[in-house]
């Protein structure tokens, strides 16, 4: 494992891990060196391509976005999602993982894990691939995102999640992403595993936090955001004002002035 990944993922030198998503070169340049990890998530299907869910995201899409983001990163650790149905069994998973790694050169891959595909995670890890396991709410299993709800609230759900996290660790994952997991379950998982946990909608009791960049800057203010999303910037509002200003300046002949014209 490369030094940088070892440093970030070492729980003994604990410093909470920060992670944001990026799908483009411009966002990659903004994030590089400012967060520990950059995730080229398959959330690009819903945020960028206006898909209803992430099931339509293809290997080609992840290859293209993964490569362009990774090319513009020199400091942060890059993580790429393996899309829906590209890791349905061990051999398919390895073939596709190699394609993604060779083409994009990202440092880590992430797959959505449940008790039925731990063998795939173990197989990829044993092949020397730095794997992140995504558990809890796993969006690739949902056609309808409205059906998504927090997990790990009941005793049984919590026990199952803790067990799954321990299996994931045994299978060789370097890190676990916890999505929409109750506070108590996230706390217990984080205290029981030796690898770091990164949460989204899973409370402060994780070793790190991830947000989708487009949500973080509120690029689309028509979408109702889940409770766990904090808007660090109101980009939609700022951009709309700027667009109005541009439209007005064009109409009154103020733009382009001499400053913005060639002689
Ligand atoms: O695809 C993605 O952006 C993700 C986040 C929800 C963490 O997996």
């Amino acid at each position: 494992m490369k030094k940088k990944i070892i440093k970030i993922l070492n729980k003994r030198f604990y410093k909470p891990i920060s992670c944001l998503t990026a799908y483009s070169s411009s966002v990659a340049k903004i994030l590089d060196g400012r967060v520990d990890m950059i995730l080229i998530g398959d959330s690009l299907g819903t945020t960028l391509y206006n898909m209803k869910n992430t099931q339509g995201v293809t290997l080609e899409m992840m290859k293209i976005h993964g490569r362009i983001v990774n090319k513009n990163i020199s400091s942060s650790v890059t993580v790429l999602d393996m899309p829906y149905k590209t890791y349905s069994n061990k051999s398919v998973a390895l073939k596709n993982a190699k394609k993604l790694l060779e083409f994009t050169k990202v440092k880590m891959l992430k797959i959505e894990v449940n008790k039925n595909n731990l063998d795939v995670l173990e197989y990829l890890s044993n092949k020397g691939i730095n794997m992140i396991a995504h558990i809890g709410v796993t969006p690739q299993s949902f056609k309808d995102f409205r059906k998504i709800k927090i997990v790990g609230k009941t005793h049984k759900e919590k026990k199952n999640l803790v067990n799954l996290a321990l299996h994931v660790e045994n299978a060789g994952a370097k890190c676990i992403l916890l999505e929409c997991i109750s506070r108590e379950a996230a706390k217990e998982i984080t205290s029981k595993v030796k690898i770091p946990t990164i949460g989204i909608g899973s409370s402060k009791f994780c070793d790190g936090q991830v947000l989708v960049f487009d949500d973080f800057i509120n690029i689309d203010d028509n979408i109702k955001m889940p409770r766990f999303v904090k808007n660090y910037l109101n980009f939609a509002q700022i951009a709309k004002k700027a667009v109005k200003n541009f439209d007005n300046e064009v109409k009154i002949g103020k733009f382009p002035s001499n400053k913005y014209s060639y002689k």
Side-chain angles (χ1 to χ4, degrees):
M1 246 202 308
K2 289 263 164 54
K3 263 198 229 152
K4 181 87 189 177
I5 306 181
I6 297 172
K7 192 177 146 206
I8 289 172
L9 299 181
N10 194 336
K11 264 186 143 169
R12 277 189 302 145
F13 302 110
Y14 176 70
K15 214 176 183 200
I17 300 164
S18 57
C19 178
L20 286 168
T21 61
Y23 320 126
S24 65
S25 54
S26 47
V27 173
K29 285 180 216 165
I30 292 171
L31 303 188
D32 189 28
R34 295 185 176 89
V35 285
D36 301 309
M37 282 185 163
I38 294 172
L39 169 68
I40 305 104
D42 65 349
S43 54
L44 61 80
T46 47
T47 46
L48 208 60
Y49 290 94
N50 209 23
M51 293 173 170
K52 279 206 168 67
N53 53 55
T54 54
Q55 293 181 356
V57 177
T58 64
L59 201 73
E60 280 313 302
M61 289 161 80
M62 295 313 290
K63 276 169 71 181
I64 293 165
H65 289 279
R67 185 173 167 122
I68 198 65
V69 168
N70 195 73
K71 253 191 175 170
N72 288 282
I73 303 296
S74 61
S75 174
S76 306
V77 171
T78 44
V79 184
L80 183 72
D81 263 340
M82 291 189 73
Y84 184 59
K85 285 203 169 152
T86 62
Y87 52 97
S88 41
N89 64 52
K90 291 194 258 187
S91 60
V92 167
L94 183 61
K95 199 174 81 193
N96 288 326
K98 279 184 173 167
K99 281 187 192 166
L100 289 170
L101 289 170
E102 274 162 26
F103 192 78
T104 65
K105 311 271 190 266
V106 295
K107 303 290 181 294
M108 305 184 82
L109 293 179
K110 172 163 85 63
I111 61 173
E112 296 185 2
V113 178
N114 55 54
K115 64 179 185 341
N116 301 318
N117 67 354
L118 283 161
D119 61 328
V120 172
L121 174 68
E122 187 166 21
Y123 188 66
L124 295 180
S125 301
N126 285 342
K127 293 286 173 191
I129 302 171
N130 295 317
M131 295 301 301
I132 297 189
H134 183 151
I135 69 167
V137 166
T138 46
Q140 288 174 10
S141 346
F142 288 87
K143 269 203 158 60
D144 184 353
F145 276 18
R146 284 170 307 184
K147 297 214 167 111
I148 290 180
K149 62 176 185 51
I150 187 141
V151 289
K153 282 199 150 185
T154 65
H155 178 72
K156 190 173 168 211
E157 272 182 4
K158 189 169 97 173
K159 197 170 142 213
N160 288 343
L161 281 167
V162 173
N163 275 336
L164 180 60
L166 290 167
H167 279 109
V168 154
E169 179 173 37
N170 267 338
K174 298 282 185 293
C175 178
I176 315 179
L177 192 145
L178 309 180
E179 178 160 354
C180 291
I181 288 182
S182 71
R183 198 180 308 189
E184 285 308 311
K187 197 173 177 181
E188 192 168 330
I189 291 169
T190 304
S191 71
K192 286 205 166 143
V193 294
K194 289 180 198 70
I195 52 175
T197 59
I198 299 184
I200 178 159
S202 298
S203 83
K204 64 178 181 183
F205 298 109
C206 298
D207 298 308
Q209 297 294 329
V210 55
L211 282 177
V212 171
F213 185 77
D214 298 47
D215 300 344
F216 158 90
I217 62 165
N218 200 20
I219 203 164
D220 185 351
D221 59 359
N222 295 306
I223 301 173
K224 190 178 176 291
M225 289 295 160
R227 175 193 169 113
F228 63 79
V229 172
K230 178 173 175 183
N231 299 138
Y232 281 79
L233 178 69
N234 219 325
F235 182 81
Q237 242 177 45
I238 295 167
K240 280 179 195 171
K241 257 194 206 154
V243 172
K244 241 181 145 177
N245 195 12
F246 166 74
D247 176 67
N248 183 45
E249 287 196 0
V250 169
K251 290 199 165 64
I252 64 173
K254 193 173 171 192
F255 180 84
S257 60
N258 283 346
K259 186 181 167 190
Y260 299 100
S261 310
Y262 297 106
K263 278 192 184 141

